[in-house]
Amino acid sequence: MATNSTDSRSNTVAVQATNDDASASKLSCVKKGYMKDDYVHFFVRRPVRRSPIINRGYFARYAAVRQLLNQFLESGAQTGQCGHDKKQVLSLGAGFDTTYFQLQEEGKAPHLYVELDFKEVTSKKAGLIEIHNELREKVGVGASISPDNGEVHGDHYKLLPVDLRDVQKLNDIMALANLDPRMCFDILGSRLHSFYSWLGFKNIFYGYLRLV
């Protein structure tokens, strides 16, 4: 039992560490002109210079995800049935991702954008949002920001702490997120295939939709 507990903690720390590495790699891409992101530098303490192959790899992933996300946000806009202002995005293992801030700047932000991650990660992110005006204004002037709790509650943005392996806690957080089952959803996931049970989350998510 002790070994299993130690392994679990080690895996958790390893996954959290990839967050800092990913942010540094994204900043490297930005500095080399692969992509535009005016917010990622707020989340990087020690900038690094990545090799061209790493830069290209991160850019390819960024471009693919953004293309799919933009397609989702823009779909239905011409008919007025489901424009970006009537859509929701749920980001699992969001880390220091800056997509929401970019969408706000571009005028493409959905009605609700919810980010979930470990409390150790969300506490740091909430703290950075609180001290940087450029980030704080994007989550809304009236947003409640609590670095201690690792939470941000705005009208259109929520940052919430949860270990996605904790089924009961995840169920509670889903309710706290105030996702509207009547609106269109998109789900973003990072590293879920190797660390979390996607099937377990899917059962919780669709169970939540049926209950609301």
Side-chain angles (χ1 to χ4, degrees), residues 17-199:
T18 64
N19 172 60
D20 296 333
D21 182 71
S23 296
S25 295
K26 291 174 184 175
L27 181 58
S28 176
C29 286
V30 171
K31 287 183 175 295
K32 284 297 181 180
Y34 284 88
M35 60 192 194
K36 181 179 182 295
D37 187 334
D38 294 331
Y39 304 96
V40 67
H41 69 278
F42 292 119
F43 299 97
V44 179
R45 290 186 299 175
R46 298 184 180 88
V48 295
R49 183 177 180 178
R50 299 298 193 201
S51 65
I53 192 170
I54 296 296
N55 286 330
R56 291 168 185 167
Y58 268 89
F59 170 71
R61 180 184 182 280
Y62 162 85
V65 172
R66 280 306 302 269
Q67 181 178 13
L68 292 173
L69 182 58
N70 286 338
Q71 287 176 357
F72 165 72
L73 293 173
E74 294 168 3
S75 63
Q78 293 182 346
T79 62
Q81 295 179 347
C82 199
H84 63 82
D85 59 334
K86 298 180 180 179
K87 293 181 178 176
Q88 301 165 112
V89 174
L90 177 62
S91 180
L92 309 175
F96 288 167
D97 184 60
T98 60
T99 299
Y100 176 76
F101 307 110
Q102 296 178 59
L103 291 175
Q104 274 285 355
E105 182 179 358
E106 297 166 8
K108 298 179 180 179
H111 172 74
L112 182 61
Y113 198 104
V114 178
E115 295 186 323
L116 306 181
D117 211 319
F118 289 109
K119 184 177 180 181
E120 292 83 355
V121 175
T122 61
S123 290
K124 293 178 182 178
K125 190 168 190 175
L128 291 168
I129 291 174
E130 185 177 48
I131 64 176
H132 292 293
N133 291 333
E134 295 90 338
L135 300 175
R136 191 169 64 247
E137 68 180 11
K138 292 293 186 294
V139 302
V141 178
S144 171
I145 304 174
S146 174
D148 290 339
N149 294 330
E151 298 181 4
V152 176
H153 294 270
D155 291 337
H156 304 288
Y157 172 83
K158 297 186 187 301
L159 174 67
L160 301 170
V162 67
D163 183 338
L164 297 180
R165 297 167 297 182
D166 188 335
V167 176
Q168 183 56 53
K169 180 64 174 177
L170 178 57
N171 204 19
D172 295 340
I173 287 294
M174 287 292 293
L176 184 62
N178 288 328
L179 291 161
D180 188 340
R182 297 168 297 180
M183 290 187 177
C184 301
F185 283 91
D186 194 15
I187 301 176
L188 305 179
S190 176
R191 304 178 297 278
L192 291 175
H193 65 286
S194 61
F195 195 58
Y196 302 119
S197 170
W198 167 249
L199 180 60

